[in-house]
């Protein structure tokens, strides 16, 4: 009997995010204040018209925006979305590239913006987001 071994979890710039694995998001590049990911087209990600579903687009934007804010932060730091506004300009078809920038980051809040482009380089949607910076709790007894 043959047993398939599940693929190893993807490293999403230092984090394991099962939803992004499920969607098939591919981390491509990260540097302070900038993150880029790629979403290969799959029929399972589409709506009734065959376009990538808006909820999928918002999910990958949310992750990529937050990644741009934590790009140069210590391991274990994560982001919690406070607010995100998304504008859709055109149907999203084919493989997509998501790029996000952190515009300003304070001690507890980060402000980011990003966009999704199709294979022709056309912007299909944009988003801006505000994130709470979540730092790991110190170990008990640590000072």
């Amino acid at each position: 009997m043959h047993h398939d071994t599940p693929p190893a979890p993807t490293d999403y710039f230092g984090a394991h995010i099962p939803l992004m694995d499920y969607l098939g998001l591919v981390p491509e590049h990260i540097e302070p204040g900038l993150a880029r990911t790629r979403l290969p087209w799959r029929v399972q990600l589409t709506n009734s018209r065959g376009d990538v579903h808006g909820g999928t687009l918002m999910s990958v934007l949310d992750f990529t925006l937050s990644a741009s804010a934590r790009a140069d932060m210590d391991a274990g730091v994560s982001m919690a979305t406070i607010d995100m506004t998304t504008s859709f300009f055109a149907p999203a078809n084919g493989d997509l590239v998501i790029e996000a920038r952190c515009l300003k980051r304070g001690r507890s809040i980060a402000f980011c913006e990003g966009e999704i482009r199709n294979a022709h380089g056309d912007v299909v949607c944009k988003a801006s987001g505000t994130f709470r910076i979540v730092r790991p709790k110190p170990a008990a007894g640590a000072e």
Side-chain angles (χ1 to χ4, degrees):
M1 176 180 266
H2 176 67
H3 294 279
D4 289 331
T5 304
T10 303
D11 177 357
Y12 288 101
F13 309 127
H16 170 63
I17 303 170
L19 177 62
M20 295 304 114
D21 270 342
Y22 181 76
L23 294 175
L25 189 68
V26 178
E28 287 198 334
H29 177 79
I30 194 158
E31 63 185 67
L34 177 72
R36 185 175 54 253
T37 58
R38 181 174 44 83
L39 184 66
W41 185 92
R42 299 192 338 259
V43 70
Q44 295 87 352
L45 302 178
T46 63
N47 59 26
S48 61
R49 292 179 308 282
D51 305 319
V52 177
H53 192 281
T56 300
L57 300 174
M58 292 175 71
S59 292
V60 297
L61 270 166
D62 179 61
F63 166 73
T64 309
L65 290 166
S66 68
S68 74
R70 68 177 176 83
D72 59 347
M73 299 187 81
D74 293 335
V77 172
S78 62
M79 299 287 159
T81 308
I82 295 171
D83 180 66
M84 189 170 115
T85 301
T86 308
S87 299
F88 300 92
F89 304 125
N93 294 296
D95 293 351
L96 304 170
V97 173
I98 305 94
E99 190 165 283
R101 294 156 297 288
C102 182
L103 304 174
K104 174 119 174 106
R105 188 180 72 202
R107 193 174 117 57
S108 60
I109 303 286
F111 301 92
C112 306
E113 68 179 13
E115 60 192 26
I116 298 180
R117 293 182 178 267
N118 63 21
H120 303 292
D122 303 318
V123 176
V124 297
C125 65
K126 286 186 147 200
S128 60
T130 306
F131 300 87
R132 181 171 56 89
I133 299 167
V134 180
R135 292 182 171 77
K137 295 188 189 308
E143 296 292 322

